[in-house]
Amino acid sequence: MKRTHHNGELRLAHVGEPVTLVGWVSRRRNLGALVFIDLRDRSGIVQITVDEKLAEQVKDVRNEYILQVEGKVVERQDKNPKMATGDIEVYAETITIVNTAETTPMIIADETDALEDTRLKYRYLDLRRAPIQNNLMLRHKVTMLTRNYLSDQGFIEVETPILCKSTPEGARDYLVPSRIFKGKFFALPQSPQIYKQLLMVGGIEKYFQIARCFRDEDLRADRQPEFTQIDIEMSFVDEEQVWTIVEGLMKEIFRNLKQTELPAFPRLTYNECMARYGTDKPDTRFGMEIQNVSGLFQNTEFTVFKNVLEQPKGMVGAIVAAQAADQFSRKEIDKLQEFVKIYGAKALAWLKMANGELSGSVAKVLKPEEKTALIETLELKDNDLIFLIADKAKVAQTALGALRIKLGRQLKLIDESQFNFLWVTNFPMFEYSEEEQRYVAAHHPFTSPNLEDVDKLMSDPENCYSRAYDLVLNGYELLSGSIRIHDQHVQEKVFEAIGMSMEEAREKFGFFIDAFRYGTPPHGGVGIGLERLVMILAGTDNIRDVVAFPKTASASDLMSEAPNTVDEKQLKELHIALEK
Amino acid sequence: MKRTHHNGELRLAHVGEPVTLVGWVSRRRNLGALVFIDLRDRSGIVQITVDEKLAEQVKDVRNEYILQVEGKVVERQDKNPKMATGDIEVYAETITIVNTAETTPMIIADETDALEDTRLKYRYLDLRRAPIQNNLMLRHKVTMLTRNYLSDQGFIEVETPILCKSTPEGARDYLVPSRIFKGKFFALPQSPQIYKQLLMVGGIEKYFQIARCFRDEDLRADRQPEFTQIDIEMSFVDEEQVWTIVEGLMKEIFRNLKQTELPAFPRLTYNECMARYGTDKPDTRFGMEIQNVSGLFQNTEFTVFKNVLEQPKGMVGAIVAAQAADQFSRKEIDKLQEFVKIYGAKALAWLKMANGELSGSVAKVLKPEEKTALIETLELKDNDLIFLIADKAKVAQTALGALRIKLGRQLKLIDESQFNFLWVTNFPMFEYSEEEQRYVAAHHPFTSPNLEDVDKLMSDPENCYSRAYDLVLNGYELLSGSIRIHDQHVQEKVFEAIGMSMEEAREKFGFFIDAFRYGTPPHGGVGIGLERLVMILAGTDNIRDVVAFPKTASASDLMSEAPNTVDEKQLKELHIALEK
């Protein structure tokens, strides 16, 4: 099929050239005897001018018809600076209707007011819209850059199975009944974690895969039941070598797609992160850090603060919304009281600075010297607004951290053009599960503890830290990873610390533990959320904008109407029956 | 972790350099006070020499221990030309045992006599063998070359869903019960066919994906339940444009991985293929083509030939095994009689040429002028062996085609270093299904008929040919593809021809047919079997050699023991029960 140019690439330099174009009719207008057709292909839109000689041929042509147009590029009289091809038009000499189209149930344009359900049902039409095509192109570029970068660094992409074994830890598995083995099931992988570690046992040394993962969870807006992970694992490395690869990859992607030379990524330990930002995924594009002002209230007579500070791990934390006091009414501040309660804080104290004096909820109960100390410590200026929470450290930090983000957005403190990466390191090794009344692995039980904490695994699990790390970008967790345990004795101790005997462990992780007996190299890696990375690059907060055929929040496909019912015969072959 | 070089890269040029290496102990030998250790990493093996000062440290070191070695590269006295690093050795200065290893259940060496079941159960050990690592590396290179080539040609890789809708045509689906929608199921895709065509409806124009596909079939030796396809689809193209892309891709792969500049791919129609080779996937690396000698027997008195030639589509076909008469005893020829019966042929006639005369099974029943004509037509020489089959054309061709391959292998006529590609085109549009007593689509019902055959779809389905094509490499079907129907009226006629009403079609293919109403471009594409391509490149006929974690012929994973039983609770959540 003849086609000499793509529609969106025509410019003044093409004037005079004969061209043959194909594409969809994006718009048609009649102007006197002339018909103007906007013809769209993947590259963009160009205006076709049809004179009276051909008018008869296009009289039935409507939006989304497919045309093949032979013609000549001419300079436009009335240039359209909003269109990339707005300096020219194509004067049609012959027009062939390649295919017709019925009226579409949604308008195909950059901006659409179609409901998301309509867009999902007619995804093949939504895909014709430039913003969605651009996102898919962006996603393609990210994966191409990733593969070439990692391949150049000596990594091999290895495909791991989709039909796997169901493992008892982690999120809920999608299951696939076996036809050949009656009563048995495969599981779809939540990640290639076990396989990639086995590839390290197998001497592959540097593995990556852009891998499909599956989680049968109750979905949140930013989750899909199937998603894609840039999965990396390396042997004979420590954290620095993993981080160097990841930083190099991110720099490569942002250099090519955002024309930005990223600086070296800063690092914070988990504890520093919690202390300064109240979260392990801080958005560092603005300040307003949490300040621990407990020290100022050692001798306070304000009973709320006093009681909290007498408790172990009690603290008084503060954040300062600089120059924002005049932007918050009493009513708005009361709403923030409700907001922090979501995060478990019992109350939010506040103060405003005006004429060098503090007023506000706790102004009267604090001693003058406490207020002076606050002004000095927080370096307060007139029109600053101060929020204080007194609670257990974790609660105070978390609530102030959430409030910080809320205020940052509301006060437009976030520079949306910035990309702030941050390594968060030294995560706690264990979390105490109130439900199970035992310590559980914070990351997964194959994560290596910090070497200096190995001896504390049993005696002081609370203060054991791990070699797990996250990479945070603009407040999103972009990846998590760790250096894994490669020493069987350490592995046994970790199992013991979470109350699991080696017998039980073998029953649960069997072949995987066996594999570690035959010479396992030190290894570690990461799993990067591809959709999240592309979302950030595309500037969208809707994961469905970066997935070609996304599913709804209830994991259904409105277009194909999957899942659907199947024949009784199919179920019989799989040795299963529907529950009544 | 420090490592200055990879083991396999050390050469004479490195002599004198201090190096730090890591790797697995492949072999250890004691020679007087010295210990020699072959240290293996992904790049290869290097010999480490340990003198008496360090001997104590390595006294417990056994195969598959992991060591870190600091030392100096020295020239070897007794060079080993079989090893890439055989000119040098590394004189150890410090040795650290990084990890220990138990005795492995199979030997880690290029050649293994381990049973395949053992290799599959301990796949993480089998993966340490260089031949398997080389295959995975080759597979990685093929996919990298493919992605870069297609991307450079303007193709976008788009990920299509794994959780799909079960479609009633084709092979058996793997099913995934839905937790949220009681009694409903997803299916794993047999190919991304429907999604890629929808991407064309969606204006993506040039799509590719290296896509996982799933078929729950009874497995043959060269099949896996999950396999990978290089999936390509293009809009606004005809066959030539699709073939150009595929040829370009193959040339790129063979140029890089086989240092071969492939010539333009020859083409044969399906009918020519059947006539000359008796198969639609001929191995053209040797001749011995089938010759239709029916014309020589128009007036024969040999009743077997006479009866066959009086039937419609009856033919007498011949192949000549040149200079091979002395290699086949009467007994061996009798065995070939049995062989052709597998393919439905009733009998195999044979003749030998000696001293310008024909002898053999039908020598006495043929007239002298028929024999003279045979000698002239087939250009027979002394010591040629001729096989003749008289039967319906399809049977005679198929049986002679199978015999041709058998003889070609036996007589070593195949040049294994050659890569012979062949496009097979103009496949029949329909096949008559004796079982269903109706015509069915030979490819799939969305394959476009040849334009000149559209009017014959109903009146003469037998003689309708399609725009489907295969690419054959050395007798293997490497890919199949087609130009698809984009005209609803043609689609309706095809459904009618296979006895399906539009209502029925809509019920079966619903959303897919709907999509075609809104301006569908002409489009076509291919699906290339990645494993088959890599197998041919790797020179193996075992698909498991090119899959990292393969499954057995009964679709089980001996390593992880998948499929396995799952908790009752998991089944309950999915609203299914095991059949008693």
Side-chain angles (χ1 to χ4, degrees):
Chain A
M1 204 172 162
K2 199 178 166 197
R3 179 186 201 177
T4 61
H5 292 76
H6 292 100
N7 304 352
E9 73 189 12
L10 297 176
R11 296 288 183 277
L12 276 178
H14 296 92
V15 165
E17 277 186 44
V19 294
T20 304
L21 306 176
V22 292
W24 286 262
V25 174
S26 179
R27 198 160 73 116
R28 68 164 290 167
R29 286 166 300 142
N30 292 13
L31 198 70
L34 295 179
V35 181
F36 295 102
I37 290 174
D38 282 354
L39 197 66
R40 186 191 66 237
D41 69 9
R42 200 180 82 182
S43 68
I45 290 175
V46 70
Q47 177 169 297
I48 310 290
T49 306
V50 184
D51 67 15
E52 55 266 37
K53 290 198 302 294
L54 294 175
E56 177 65 17
Q57 282 184 50
V58 297
K59 75 177 178 3
D60 294 330
V61 166
R62 302 186 309 167
N63 281 1
E64 301 310 316
Y65 269 48
I66 297 178
L67 305 182
Q68 185 181 41
V69 177
E70 287 182 77
K72 192 159 274 176
V73 180
V74 297
E75 186 168 354
R76 249 163 98 161
Q77 296 305 314
D78 53 333
K79 298 199 170 52
N80 181 349
K82 285 184 199 154
M83 279 174 83
T85 61
D87 287 347
I88 57 95
E89 61 194 334
V90 172
Y91 204 88
E93 281 151 11
T94 69
I95 291 188
T96 311
I97 295 176
V98 177
N99 212 344
T100 61
E102 296 180 20
T103 304
T104 53
M106 60 178 283
I107 289 168
I108 316 293
D110 287 6
E111 297 292 324
T112 178
D113 58 358
L115 295 176
E116 189 164 34
D117 276 8
T118 306
R119 290 176 50 203
L120 290 176
K121 181 169 166 57
Y122 299 98
R123 186 62 170 180
Y124 44 83
L125 297 178
D126 201 29
L127 285 171
R128 288 187 191 164
R129 295 172 51 240
I132 301 292
Q133 293 207 349
N134 292 342
N135 288 349
L136 293 186
M137 178 60 94
L138 183 66
R139 182 172 175 146
H140 168 64
K141 285 180 179 162
V142 170
T143 57
M144 287 302 295
L145 287 166
T146 299
R147 287 190 160 101
N148 282 309
Y149 176 80
L150 292 174
S151 189
D152 288 347
Q153 301 288 327
F155 286 80
I156 305 180
E157 184 163 26
V158 179
E159 291 188 68
T160 56
I162 297 290
L163 294 171
C164 298
K165 183 177 182 168
S166 182
T167 49
E169 299 278 296
R172 212 183 273 113
D173 282 329
Y174 278 105
L175 295 183
V176 182
S178 164
R179 179 174 55 85
I180 299 176
F181 296 93
K182 188 174 173 175
K184 296 192 172 185
F185 293 80
F186 295 100
L188 305 183
Q190 296 181 25
S191 87
Q193 184 68 31
I194 284 182
Y195 288 105
K196 72 174 173 174
Q197 291 195 241
L198 289 174
L199 287 171
M200 295 305 104
V201 177
I204 298 299
E205 294 192 23
K206 288 180 163 189
Y207 145 93
F208 81 101
Q209 185 182 194
I210 301 194
R212 205 71 64 88
C213 306
F214 304 85
R215 283 183 200 169
D216 187 9
E217 289 178 305
D218 296 309
L219 298 174
R220 300 200 303 255
D222 65 342
R223 291 278 178 92
Q224 286 276 300
E226 53 182 306
F227 58 96
T228 301
Q229 189 164 298
I230 302 171
D231 201 43
I232 299 175
E233 196 79 6
M234 304 169 72
S235 290
F236 306 114
V237 295
D238 58 23
E239 290 83 343
E240 290 296 338
Q241 287 153 306
V242 176
W243 298 348
T244 299
I245 285 292
V246 172
E247 290 201 24
L249 172 61
M250 290 301 145
K251 285 178 181 175
E252 175 79 1
I253 290 172
F254 279 76
R255 187 182 303 124
N256 280 278
L257 301 179
K258 288 288 169 189
Q259 289 70 50
T260 291
E261 204 58 48
L262 295 176
F265 297 178
R267 302 167 184 186
L268 283 180
T269 65
Y270 171 85
N271 282 341
E272 287 171 314
C273 239
M274 290 304 294
R276 290 170 55 181
Y277 300 101
T279 172
D280 58 2
K281 39 178 190 273
D283 190 335
T284 57
R285 288 176 297 176
F286 69 105
M288 208 193 283
E289 292 184 19
I290 300 168
Q291 306 200 49
N292 186 336
V293 291
S294 306
L296 311 183
F297 301 104
Q298 288 308 312
N299 304 311
T300 191
E301 285 163 17
F302 177 37
T303 49
V304 176
F305 285 10
K306 192 174 155 74
N307 290 343
V308 163
L309 291 174
E310 278 168 0
Q311 289 170 29
K313 297 187 191 167
M315 77 170 266
V316 181
I319 57 174
V320 178
Q323 303 302 302
D326 55 359
Q327 296 180 53
F328 286 84
S329 65
R330 181 64 192 261
K331 207 170 148 188
E332 281 166 323
I333 292 175
D334 285 346
K335 272 193 202 149
L336 298 179
Q337 292 270 3
E338 295 308 308
F339 176 78
V340 298
K341 285 180 185 163
I342 301 171
Y343 300 89
K346 283 180 283 296
L348 179 69
W350 60 275
L351 292 165
K352 281 182 175 178
M353 183 81 167
N355 302 320
E357 296 279 327
L358 288 174
S359 61
S361 71
V362 288
K364 283 181 193 145
V365 294
L366 297 182
K367 292 185 215 165
E369 59 268 31
E370 289 171 338
K371 284 188 270 190
T372 307
L374 261 182
I375 292 172
E376 277 173 18
T377 304
L378 301 178
E379 299 177 357
L380 298 176
K381 296 189 184 58
D382 278 359
N383 200 27
D384 285 354
L385 176 59
I386 305 95
F387 294 101
L388 296 158
I389 293 181
D391 218 312
K392 282 195 174 167
K394 198 161 185 187
V395 173
Q397 287 167 350
T398 304
L400 284 169
L403 183 60
R404 172 181 172 270
I405 292 294
K406 186 180 172 66
L407 294 174
R409 288 192 186 136
Q410 199 167 332
L411 297 169
K412 301 202 189 320
L413 302 180
I414 300 170
D415 177 355
E416 298 287 348
S417 73
Q418 237 177 303
F419 297 100
N420 276 26
F421 286 86
L422 176 71
W423 286 111
V424 181
T425 69
N426 276 60
F427 278 81
M429 184 74 192
F430 305 105
E431 285 167 0
Y432 191 77
S433 163
E434 297 289 348
E435 193 187 327
E436 304 188 40
Q437 299 242 323
R438 64 173 177 103
Y439 284 97
V440 296
H443 195 59
H444 57 62
F446 308 108
T447 300
S448 176
N450 273 343
L451 295 183
E452 64 268 28
D453 293 340
V454 170
D455 292 336
K456 292 191 290 191
L457 284 169
M458 286 306 295
S459 58
D460 188 10
E462 190 117 356
N463 286 309
C464 282
Y465 291 89
S466 77
R467 299 176 72 180
Y469 38 80
D470 282 358
L471 182 62
V472 175
L473 169 54
N474 292 354
Y476 289 99
E477 181 197 310
L478 193 62
L479 70 83
S480 65
S482 65
I483 300 298
R484 331 295 180 184
I485 298 170
H486 69 281
D487 179 321
Q488 288 185 67
H489 308 292
V490 174
Q491 185 68 70
E492 282 174 35
K493 279 189 193 165
V494 169
F495 284 140
E496 206 181 340
I498 58 175
M500 196 189 289
S501 68
M502 270 313 279
E503 287 66 42
E504 198 181 335
R506 191 153 278 134
E507 201 172 295
K508 281 193 170 182
F509 305 108
F511 70 103
F512 186 57
I513 292 176
D514 278 346
F516 276 64
R517 291 153 49 192
Y518 303 112
T520 299
H523 62 289
V526 299
I528 305 171
L530 175 64
E531 282 88 359
R532 186 158 284 173
L533 176 58
V534 178
M535 281 166 68
I536 294 171
L537 289 165
T540 175
D541 55 7
N542 184 347
I543 190 173
R544 289 182 285 276
D545 286 345
V546 300
V547 176
F549 296 102
K551 294 197 169 58
T552 64
S554 57
S556 70
D557 176 353
L558 297 181
M559 183 184 70
S560 71
E561 296 179 337
N564 61 341
T565 54
V566 296
D567 291 349
E568 196 59 39
K569 175 169 165 278
Q570 287 174 281
L571 299 183
K572 252 200 152 53
E573 283 188 314
L574 300 174
H575 322 290
I576 58 170
L578 297 184
E579 238 189 15
K580 295 292 174 309
Chain B
M1 203 174 164
K2 202 181 165 196
R3 177 189 204 177
T4 60
H5 292 76
H6 292 100
N7 303 354
E9 73 188 12
L10 296 176
R11 296 288 182 279
L12 276 178
H14 295 92
V15 166
E17 277 186 43
V19 295
T20 304
L21 307 176
V22 293
W24 286 262
V25 173
S26 178
R27 200 160 73 115
R28 68 163 289 165
R29 285 167 301 144
N30 291 14
L31 198 70
L34 295 179
V35 181
F36 296 102
I37 290 174
D38 282 354
L39 196 66
R40 186 191 67 237
D41 68 9
R42 199 180 81 183
S43 68
I45 289 176
V46 72
Q47 177 170 296
I48 310 290
T49 307
V50 185
D51 68 14
E52 57 266 38
K53 292 197 302 292
L54 295 176
E56 177 65 17
Q57 283 183 51
V58 297
K59 74 176 177 6
D60 296 328
V61 165
R62 302 187 308 166
N63 280 2
E64 303 309 316
Y65 268 49
I66 297 178
L67 305 182
Q68 185 180 41
V69 177
E70 286 181 79
K72 193 160 277 178
V73 181
V74 296
E75 186 169 357
R76 250 164 98 160
Q77 297 306 314
D78 53 332
K79 297 199 171 53
N80 181 349
K82 287 186 198 153
M83 276 175 82
T85 61
D87 288 347
I88 58 94
E89 60 193 336
V90 172
Y91 205 87
E93 281 152 10
T94 70
I95 292 188
T96 312
I97 295 176
V98 177
N99 213 343
T100 60
E102 296 179 19
T103 304
T104 52
M106 60 178 283
I107 288 167
I108 317 292
D110 289 6
E111 298 291 324
T112 177
D113 59 358
L115 294 176
E116 189 164 32
D117 277 7
T118 306
R119 291 176 49 204
L120 291 175
K121 180 167 165 61
Y122 299 99
R123 185 63 170 179
Y124 44 85
L125 297 179
D126 201 28
L127 285 171
R128 288 187 192 164
R129 295 171 53 239
I132 301 291
Q133 293 207 350
N134 291 343
N135 288 348
L136 294 185
M137 177 61 92
L138 182 67
R139 181 173 175 147
H140 168 64
K141 285 181 180 162
V142 170
T143 58
M144 287 302 296
L145 286 166
T146 299
R147 286 189 161 102
N148 282 310
Y149 176 80
L150 292 174
S151 190
D152 288 347
Q153 300 288 327
F155 287 79
I156 305 178
E157 184 163 26
V158 179
E159 291 187 69
T160 56
I162 297 290
L163 294 171
C164 297
K165 183 178 181 168
S166 181
T167 49
E169 300 278 298
R172 212 183 275 114
D173 283 329
Y174 277 105
L175 296 183
V176 182
S178 164
R179 179 175 55 85
I180 299 177
F181 296 94
K182 189 175 172 174
K184 296 194 173 183
F185 293 79
F186 296 100
L188 306 184
Q190 297 182 24
S191 87
Q193 184 67 32
I194 283 182
Y195 287 105
K196 73 174 172 174
Q197 291 195 242
L198 290 174
L199 287 172
M200 295 305 105
V201 177
I204 298 299
E205 295 192 23
K206 288 179 163 190
Y207 145 93
F208 81 101
Q209 185 183 193
I210 301 194
R212 203 71 64 89
C213 306
F214 305 83
R215 283 181 201 171
D216 187 8
E217 290 178 303
D218 295 310
L219 299 175
R220 300 199 304 256
D222 66 340
R223 291 277 178 90
Q224 285 277 301
E226 52 181 307
F227 58 96
T228 301
Q229 187 164 301
I230 302 172
D231 201 43
I232 299 175
E233 196 79 7
M234 306 168 72
S235 291
F236 306 116
V237 294
D238 57 24
E239 289 83 342
E240 291 295 338
Q241 288 153 306
V242 176
W243 297 347
T244 299
I245 285 293
V246 172
E247 289 201 23
L249 172 60
M250 290 301 145
K251 285 178 181 177
E252 176 79 1
I253 290 171
F254 280 74
R255 186 181 304 125
N256 280 279
L257 302 180
K258 288 287 167 188
Q259 290 70 51
T260 291
E261 202 60 46
L262 294 175
F265 297 178
R267 302 169 185 184
L268 284 180
T269 65
Y270 171 84
N271 283 341
E272 287 172 313
C273 239
M274 290 305 294
R276 290 171 56 183
Y277 300 101
T279 171
D280 58 1
K281 37 178 191 275
D283 189 335
T284 58
R285 289 176 297 176
F286 69 105
M288 209 194 282
E289 293 185 17
I290 300 168
Q291 307 201 48
N292 186 336
V293 291
S294 305
L296 310 184
F297 302 103
Q298 288 309 310
N299 304 311
T300 191
E301 286 163 17
F302 177 37
T303 49
V304 175
F305 284 11
K306 193 174 153 76
N307 291 343
V308 164
L309 290 175
E310 278 168 0
Q311 288 170 30
K313 296 188 191 167
M315 78 170 265
V316 181
I319 57 174
V320 178
Q323 302 304 299
D326 57 357
Q327 297 180 52
F328 286 86
S329 66
R330 182 65 193 260
K331 206 169 148 191
E332 282 167 323
I333 290 176
D334 285 345
K335 272 195 202 149
L336 298 179
Q337 292 269 6
E338 294 308 307
F339 176 76
V340 298
K341 285 182 184 161
I342 301 171
Y343 300 90
K346 280 181 284 295
L348 179 69
W350 61 274
L351 294 165
K352 279 182 177 181
M353 183 81 168
N355 303 320
E357 297 278 327
L358 287 174
S359 60
S361 72
V362 288
K364 284 181 192 144
V365 294
L366 297 183
K367 294 185 213 165
E369 62 266 33
E370 287 170 341
K371 284 188 267 190
T372 308
L374 262 181
I375 292 172
E376 278 173 18
T377 304
L378 301 178
E379 298 176 357
L380 298 177
K381 294 187 187 61
D382 278 1
N383 200 26
D384 285 354
L385 176 60
I386 305 97
F387 293 100
L388 296 157
I389 293 181
D391 219 312
K392 282 195 174 165
K394 199 162 184 183
V395 172
Q397 288 166 350
T398 305
L400 285 169
L403 183 61
R404 173 182 172 270
I405 292 293
K406 187 180 173 65
L407 295 174
R409 287 193 187 136
Q410 200 166 329
L411 297 169
K412 301 204 189 317
L413 303 180
I414 300 170
D415 177 355
E416 298 286 350
S417 72
Q418 237 178 301
F419 297 100
N420 275 27
F421 285 87
L422 175 72
W423 284 111
V424 181
T425 69
N426 275 60
F427 277 81
M429 184 75 190
F430 305 105
E431 284 167 0
Y432 191 76
S433 164
E434 297 289 347
E435 192 189 326
E436 302 189 40
Q437 300 242 321
R438 64 173 177 102
Y439 283 97
V440 297
H443 194 61
H444 58 60
F446 307 108
T447 300
S448 176
N450 273 344
L451 295 183
E452 63 268 29
D453 293 340
V454 170
D455 292 337
K456 292 192 288 191
L457 284 170
M458 286 306 295
S459 59
D460 188 11
E462 191 117 354
N463 286 310
C464 281
Y465 290 89
S466 77
R467 299 176 73 180
Y469 38 80
D470 281 359
L471 182 62
V472 175
L473 169 55
N474 292 355
Y476 288 99
E477 180 196 310
L478 194 62
L479 69 82
S480 66
S482 65
I483 300 299
R484 330 295 181 186
I485 298 169
H486 70 280
D487 179 320
Q488 287 186 69
H489 307 294
V490 175
Q491 185 69 69
E492 282 175 34
K493 279 188 195 166
V494 169
F495 283 139
E496 208 181 339
I498 59 173
M500 196 189 288
S501 68
M502 272 311 280
E503 288 65 41
E504 198 183 335
R506 190 152 279 135
E507 202 172 293
K508 280 191 168 182
F509 304 107
F511 71 102
F512 186 56
I513 292 176
D514 279 346
F516 276 64
R517 291 153 50 193
Y518 302 113
T520 298
H523 62 289
V526 299
I528 304 171
L530 175 64
E531 282 88 359
R532 186 157 284 172
L533 176 59
V534 178
M535 281 166 69
I536 295 171
L537 289 165
T540 175
D541 55 6
N542 184 347
I543 191 172
R544 289 183 285 276
D545 285 346
V546 300
V547 175
F549 296 102
K551 294 197 170 57
T552 64
S554 58
S556 70
D557 177 351
L558 297 181
M559 182 185 69
S560 70
E561 298 180 335
N564 62 341
T565 53
V566 297
D567 291 348
E568 196 59 39
K569 177 169 165 275
Q570 286 174 281
L571 299 184
K572 252 202 148 58
E573 283 189 313
L574 299 175
H575 321 290
I576 58 171
L578 297 184
E579 237 188 17
K580 296 291 173 310

